[in-house]
Amino acid sequence: MTNEKSFKDDRFLSGSLALDLVNTEMIVRGKKQDLFTSPDDLAQWWQVACAYHPEHENIVGDGTPFVWTTELLEEVKAFRQSLRLLCTGLVEDPLITSPDLTMLNQMLALGYQLAQVTPQGTIMAIYRVYDEQKGRILLPIALSALRLLTEGERSRLHKCKNDRCILFFYDTSKGGSRQWCSLGCLNRARSIYHYRQQRSTGSHPL
Ligand SMILES: [Zn+2]
């Protein structure tokens, strides 16, 4: 187990597997930090991500165990960057640039859907992938992004209101009034605000 402390629960609060991937890059003490410094980090993140998103599609592989290579890590990082750009563009209101879906579509082409009969006789939808290594991680993320973009409301996709934070989330709250990626971020932003207020009141006494 590496970097266990980095994988805190609040890394999985975005409401979407695809956004949780985007959120593996964050600002910590003013500096950009990448949770993925090695394939091992990715392996561990994936394990936790699957626990947080048990709803993700049924991808049936041939049982080959994952091999967490640097190549796979780089593919995931490239997809993450593409999703970040996509989300950054989508939170602009009005939409300034036309969304670039090239990489998302490449990832969606990693597998295909088919129908399968369960031992109980029910027919269920499953996915198979052409590449057991890449497909089993990149396809579920791509499908999550597809759901977010096609079934979600764009007005509910947000970047955290904290200027120092780069995390995204999908607001599932009833009133649609969530503004922060996490409670921690809200509290940090509040204390900065109070600190600035105190300073400005201090320097300009009424
Ligand atoms: Zn935040």
Side-chain angles (χ1 to χ4, degrees):
M1 304 283 265
T2 56
N3 272 343
E4 202 175 343
K5 63 179 182 337
S6 306
F7 297 98
K8 283 184 293 188
D9 289 4
D10 63 357
R11 299 286 73 88
F12 293 92
L13 293 176
S14 74
S16 152
L17 174 62
L19 293 180
D20 279 345
L21 172 66
V22 174
N23 290 349
T24 56
E25 283 185 301
M26 63 194 68
I27 303 290
V28 179
R29 288 178 208 94
K31 285 190 187 142
K32 200 168 181 186
Q33 196 184 65
D34 189 344
L35 283 189
F36 296 163
T37 54
S38 71
D40 216 27
D41 292 339
L42 173 63
Q44 192 165 355
W45 176 83
W46 182 244
Q47 198 184 11
V48 185
C50 289
Y52 272 90
H53 299 283
E55 77 290 354
H56 83 59
E57 284 72 21
N58 200 352
I59 296 184
V60 178
D62 61 8
T64 319
F66 269 118
V67 183
W68 300 96
T69 59
T70 313
E71 290 73 24
L72 181 59
L73 176 68
E74 291 311 315
E75 293 255 18
V76 172
K77 281 187 177 184
F79 189 29
R80 177 181 67 180
Q81 180 59 16
S82 161
L83 289 173
R84 172 172 293 283
L85 289 174
L86 193 54
C87 291
T88 305
L90 288 173
V91 294
E92 301 283 348
D93 194 21
L95 205 59
I96 295 167
T97 45
S98 174
D100 181 0
L101 303 173
T102 317
M103 193 172 222
L104 173 61
N105 283 332
Q106 282 167 1
M107 297 302 166
L108 289 168
L110 286 169
Y112 54 95
Q113 200 172 29
L114 40 96
Q116 194 177 61
V117 185
T118 65
Q120 292 77 31
T122 323
I123 300 171
M124 64 182 289
I126 61 157
Y127 279 88
R128 282 201 190 280
V129 287
Y130 299 108
D131 181 322
E132 288 287 320
Q133 290 304 316
K134 274 165 56 175
R136 279 183 297 165
I137 173 163
L138 291 166
L139 182 60
I141 295 168
L143 290 166
S144 161
L146 180 69
R147 257 202 318 274
L148 181 74
L149 301 175
T150 59
E151 295 171 25
E153 294 168 43
R154 194 165 72 89
S155 60
R156 284 182 175 264
L157 174 68
H158 295 286
K159 193 198 136 297
C160 179
K161 202 187 169 201
N162 180 353
D163 291 341
R164 297 174 174 217
C165 179
I166 56 168
L167 303 193
F168 286 90
F169 61 89
Y170 185 76
D171 184 1
T172 52
S173 71
K174 209 173 172 189
S177 57
R178 181 177 163 189
Q179 294 181 306
W180 312 90
C181 70
S182 65
L183 215 54
C185 218
L186 163 67
N187 291 335
R188 274 191 295 278
R190 266 192 187 154
S191 49
I192 291 167
Y193 175 75
H194 288 307
Y195 173 72
R196 282 186 185 150
Q197 272 220 323
Q198 271 171 3
R199 272 185 51 156
S200 67
T201 343
S203 55
H204 303 287
L206 291 169

